[in-house]
Amino acid sequence: MRAMNYRGPYRVRVDEKPMPRILHPQDAVVRVTRSCICGSDLHLYHGMVPDTRVGSTFGHEFTGIVEEVGPEVQNLKTGDHVLVPFNIACGRCHFCKQGLFGNCHEANPEASAAGGIFGYSHTTGGYDGGQAEYVRVPYADVGPHVIPDWMNPDDAVLLTDVVPTGYQAAEMGGIKRGDTVVVFGAGPVGIMAARCAWLFGAGRVIVIDHLDYRLEFARTYAPAEVYNFRELSDIVVFMKKTTGGLGADVCIDAVGNDAAGSALHTLFGKKLKLEAGSAIALYWAINSVKKGGIVSIVGVYGPTGNMVPIGNVVNKGITIRANQASVKRLLPRLIEHVKEGRLNPKELITHKVPLEEIADAYHIFSAKLDGCIKPVLVPSGG
C-alpha cells in the first residue's frame, strides 16, 4: 500500500509499505477515505516530539471503510464507514471507565503519562497512523464510530480530533455565562475552541495569533474579536487593559511547543531544544488570566521542563486543566451539534490534497502558505 514515510525533520514522502493485518482478535483493518494533517503533526514534522522515528507513518485524524475485522469484534462489520478517534483506548481500564479515553492505561503500557495515539511517535505507543491507504485499528469495538448516513464525510473526519479537542478546551475552561474567554492560537483547534466557547455561554471571545489570514478566518467563523500579538507592545498588559484591569476569566492555550512570539523561548525551546519547545503561549495565558481564573491547555508539549511562571499560578490562585480530548465521550453530543447546525466543521477545510502529494501538503501547512487553515489528504481509493 501507499503510505506517508517520515524521513526526518521537514522530510516526508509517500512510499510502498506493507499492508496492515489483524494482529489481535479485537483489531480491524480500515481503508482510509480521508486523513487530515493536524497542527500537532507539524510538531513531529519539525522534530519537536521525542522518539519520532524514521519510517513512521503519521496521521491521527482519519475516516475509512472497514475491510476486515478480528474474530472478537462485535460492533463493526465489513463495509461500515467509520470515523476513528485519535485516542486508542481499550474501554475497560481504570481510566476508560471514567470516560478518560485519552488516558487509557492499556493502549500505551510503556508510558506513565501519554495514552495511545495513532501516528504520533513512540512516546504514544508507536502505532502507524492514517496518512496511508490502509491502517490497523486496535480495540475496534471501542473507538470507531459508524458515520451517520446524513453526515458529510468532511464533517466526520474533523470529529476525530479538531472538533472534540476544541470543544474539550472550552469545557475544561469551566466557562460561565458572560465570561471573557481568550484563545491563544488561531489554528483549527483554536478556532474551534473559540466557536465552542459560545456554546458554554461566553459573553466575549478573543483570539490571539500573529497571522492575519488565520485571524480573519477566526473573526468570521468563531466569531471572535481578534488581535495580532506582533502589533501589541505587551500582550499581557493589553489583556489586562481590555478586561478592566482584572484579566480574562478563562485562557485557552491551543498552540503548544511550536509557539512564536518570544526570541528567548524560540532559542531555548526550538533551536537548542533545552526546553520542551516554546511555551510562550502558556506563559501569556497564565499571566493574562484573572486571579482565580482557569487556564485550559490542549496545545502539545514534550515531557521535559518548560520556562513556565509557576509562581504566578500559585500566587494568583489559578486552576490549570489540561488533557488529550476524550473523543469517544464527546462524540454523541458533538454529532448532535453538527446535525442541528450549531457546529459546521467542514468549513475549516481549505485544502484537499491527494495522498501522493503529501510532501507539498506538509510544506504548505507548515509554511502557512496559500491561506491554509486545514488540509485533508485523500488516498487514491478514498
Side-chain angles (χ1 to χ4, degrees), residues 141-284:
D141 267 345
V142 179
H145 188 97
V146 177
I147 300 171
D149 291 339
W150 55 264
M151 182 175 285
N152 188 304
D154 289 340
D155 285 324
V157 74
L158 294 188
L159 286 172
T160 63
D161 180 1
V162 170
V163 179
T165 298
Y167 185 90
Q168 185 165 308
E171 180 187 63
M172 290 191 301
I175 298 168
K176 299 180 180 63
R177 185 165 299 280
D179 276 356
T180 295
V181 179
V182 178
V183 180
F184 290 92
V189 168
I191 293 169
M192 184 57 65
R195 174 90 174 203
C196 291
W198 298 113
L199 298 178
F200 289 88
R204 185 183 182 192
V205 178
I206 300 170
V207 175
I208 306 294
D209 202 280
H210 69 292
L211 296 168
D212 287 333
Y213 82 88
R214 300 207 309 184
L215 289 169
E216 187 56 37
F217 195 100
R219 185 200 307 276
T220 57
Y221 181 89
E225 296 175 46
V226 298
Y227 297 97
N228 188 323
F229 65 73
R230 296 200 187 281
E231 298 175 359
L232 304 172
S233 58
D234 188 315
I235 183 64
V236 175
V237 171
F238 172 79
M239 292 310 308
K240 291 291 180 65
K241 287 182 176 179
T242 196
T243 55
L246 299 177
D249 299 288
V250 178
C251 284
I252 295 172
D253 173 2
V255 184
N257 65 14
D258 251 343
S262 166
L264 186 64
H265 279 268
T266 296
L267 174 64
F268 281 95
K270 297 174 70 175
K271 302 296 185 183
L272 301 178
K273 293 184 171 63
L274 298 177
E275 301 285 334
S278 168
I280 188 61
L282 180 55
Y283 180 96
W284 285 337

Side-chain angles (χ1 to χ4, degrees), residues 303-319:
T304 54
N306 284 90
M307 293 184 289
V308 174
I310 195 66
N312 289 358
V313 174
V314 176
N315 293 328
K316 292 175 69 176
I318 295 170
T319 297

